[in-house]
Amino acid sequence: DAGVIQSPRHEVTEMGQEVTLRCKPISGHNSLFWYRQTMMRGLELLIYFNNNVPIDDSGMPEDRFSAKMPNASFSTLKIQPSEPRDSAVYFCASSFSGGGRSTDTQYFGPGTRLTVL
Amino acid sequence: RKEVEQDPGPFNVPEGATVAFNCTYSNSASQSFFWYRQDCRKEPKLLMSVYSSGNEDGRFTAQLNRASQYISLLIRDSKLSDSATYLCVVTMIYGGSQGNLIFGKGTKLSVKP
């Protein structure tokens, strides 16, 4: 079975450019999460969607960041304009939430390693 | 105070050793607890959930102390392949579904021959 798919795997761009990261969750999962990981701050949740609806975007750093989930099988995270401090690994994860279960395992994609010069 | 705190390590141990990692969390409303494992330049993967009664999975034992807001992971008979970063994770439940995962920064383990 395919896991969470992210693209691109690596992105190098110049400051000021727009960056779009893509994620395809595991089929059947109804929750999708975007995380950012840096050495300094560790793994931080940026935003998560449930049934394609953004539930909590309090982790989104600022207005330069936006995320969409137009359907159950696709999500994007966009940074416009990008800055060097956005350099990090961005992970997408998905899970099936609901049904009264108390634990919903999140499955992570391989990540996108972003470098902003 | 950080929500989830871990000793960053690194823990350098010989093969066959027993090693223990600790983690504390600040939010007493936290309801679910996990250990994730992350290999170098890879994504985090669920290692095991942590239950109030404690639970064991082969060489791995996880314990939870809600009163002290403390979670532990014990690895017995460590293998070279156990070398990784171990992330402590807590979450709360909203409406019967899992909420946000809050990750610690991880503890790095290096098992030497």
Side-chain angles (χ1 to χ4, degrees), chain A residues 4 17 19 42 47-48 52 54-55 63 69 72 81 86-87 90 104 110:
Chain A
V4 176
Q17 297 298 307
V19 174
I47 184 171
Y48 87 92
N52 311 337
I55 302 300
D63 291 346
M69 191 164 186
D86 301 330
S87 297
Y90 291 81
D104 305 315

Side-chain angles (χ1 to χ4, degrees), chain A residues 37 40 48 56 101 104 109, chain B residues 38 43 96-98 100 105:
Chain A
Q37 187 173 38
M40 288 295 292
Y48 87 92
D56 183 354
R101 294 185 298 180
D104 305 315
Chain B
Q38 186 173 22
E43 70 273 22
S97 299
Q98 185 186 75
N100 300 350
K105 287 190 178 180

Side-chain angles (χ1 to χ4, degrees), chain A:
Chain A
D1 287 342
V4 176
I5 298 172
Q6 290 187 246
S7 64
R9 295 290 304 275
H10 301 271
E11 177 82 27
V12 180
T13 191
E14 293 186 345
M15 184 173 63
Q17 297 298 307
E18 177 179 295
V19 174
T20 300
L21 311 181
R22 297 173 176 79
C23 176
K24 177 178 169 56
I26 292 172
S27 177
H29 282 188
N30 61 354
S31 290
L32 183 140
F33 306 79
W34 282 102
Y35 292 89
R36 176 172 69 177
Q37 187 173 38
T38 61
M39 288 291 291
M40 288 295 292
R41 300 174 67 88
L43 200 60
E44 303 173 287
L45 178 70
L46 300 177
I47 184 171
Y48 87 92
F49 296 84
N50 184 253
N51 294 321
N52 311 337
V53 176
I55 302 300
D56 183 354
D57 64 355
S58 59
M60 295 286 264
E62 49 198 270
D63 291 346
R64 297 184 298 105
F65 285 69
S66 63
K68 293 182 179 179
M69 191 164 186
N71 57 62
S73 58
F74 184 65
S75 177
T76 58
L77 177 68
K78 187 176 292 187
I79 309 173
Q80 165 65 12
S82 58
E83 297 182 2
R85 61 191 167 125
D86 301 330
S87 297
V89 181
Y90 291 81
F91 288 105
C92 176
S94 72
S95 71
F96 177 78
S97 295
R101 294 185 298 180
S102 61
T103 56
D104 305 315
T105 302
Q106 290 189 18
Y107 296 86
F108 283 72
T112 295
R113 188 169 296 273
L114 174 66
T115 302
V116 183
L117 302 174

